[in-house]
Amino acid sequence: MSVENGGNPPNNCLIVVAAALVDRDGRLLVQQRPEGKPMAGLWEFPGGKIEPGETPEAALIRELHEELAIDVEAACLAPACFASDTLGDQHLLLLVYVCRKWRGAPTAQHASALRWVRPVELHSLPMPPADKPLIGLLEALV
């Protein structure tokens, strides 16, 4: 970000939030992108785009409710890591939070499938390019 634009992200910056949901056994929840969507078939952490006027935490709470039918409190979201990547003509900034406490059982609302995996297993899953660099960081955190 430059001083010329007041420190705001560039117009082509897409800010996305995601959750590394960790169960009691130290496994992470990933979901498979459905057919007909960009990057269909790839495994990713649940989350989505921040809507205008939303904080990252509010966006993630909304997305987790929409995608997994679970309820999360903002206090249960711990900022963990981020990724920065080019996505077509946009620049993707992915903010990842660790969450160990939620209400409800995660169920796939829009994804093809859900899967609980050990952090080391993420290396063998086909994932979006922005997610790959996060694996080592999440292994250390979980």
Side-chain angles (χ1 to χ4, degrees), residues 29-74:
L29 183 73
V30 289
Q31 62 183 12
Q32 191 172 38
R33 293 186 61 83
E35 290 302 318
K37 291 260 186 171
M39 295 187 266
L42 297 184
W43 292 89
E44 66 181 358
F45 300 107
K49 296 175 189 162
I50 298 174
E51 300 293 338
E54 276 185 320
T55 64
E57 295 81 6
L60 189 52
I61 290 167
R62 176 185 50 77
E63 288 285 350
L64 292 172
H65 184 76
E66 291 173 3
E67 291 185 2
L68 301 174
I70 62 173
D71 293 314
V72 175
E73 300 292 327

Side-chain angles (χ1 to χ4, degrees), residues 7-23:
N8 293 320
N11 290 335
N12 67 339
C13 189
L14 176 64
I15 304 174
V16 176
V17 290
L21 294 173
V22 184
D23 73 4

Side-chain angles (χ1 to χ4, degrees), residues 1 4 13 17 25 51 63 66-67 78 81 96 108 110 122 126 136:
M1 291 185 275
E4 295 109 35
C13 189
V17 290
D25 294 327
E51 300 293 338
E63 288 285 350
E66 291 173 3
E67 291 185 2
C81 51
V96 181
H110 305 289
L122 293 171

Side-chain angles (χ1 to χ4, degrees), residues 5 19-20 26 31 38 41 49 52 54 57 64 66 75 90-91 94 99 101-102 115 135 141:
N5 69 4
Q31 62 183 12
K49 296 175 189 162
E54 276 185 320
E57 295 81 6
L64 292 172
E66 291 173 3
Q90 291 187 310
H91 190 85
L94 173 61
C99 180
K101 186 177 175 185
W102 57 87
R115 191 173 186 187
I135 296 171
L141 289 172

